[in-house]
Amino acid sequence: MAKTSTQTYRTNAKSRAKHVKDNSPGGKYAHSKQYKREHADARASLKIGKGSKQDASKQADGSYKSESRKTNRGRGGRLRR
């Protein structure tokens, strides 16, 4: 009979540590609330409404500009190949 996930985590310390880390509270950013607030303010100042097909794109100098959602997200960030 195969081990259950509970049995695996009890016997494998490395796997348990990763499991605990993965399931701990926290978000993509340690500064998540500040990050969200900053972007919300940028969207408001650029007059980008909810449901709009525009994004507030952060520039290299730290400023924001209104840009097509497709163009902004199409860059792919770390997922780009």
Side-chain angles (χ1 to χ4, degrees), residues 45-74:
S45 69
L46 292 168
K47 296 181 174 58
I48 300 172
K50 194 170 187 167
S52 171
K53 295 200 189 243
Q54 294 290 309
D55 264 349
S57 175
K58 191 167 187 178
Q59 305 302 298
D61 64 357
S63 65
Y64 289 87
K65 77 171 190 176
S66 182
E67 182 177 43
S68 156
R69 185 188 318 167
K70 184 176 178 179
T71 304
N72 188 29
R73 298 181 189 185

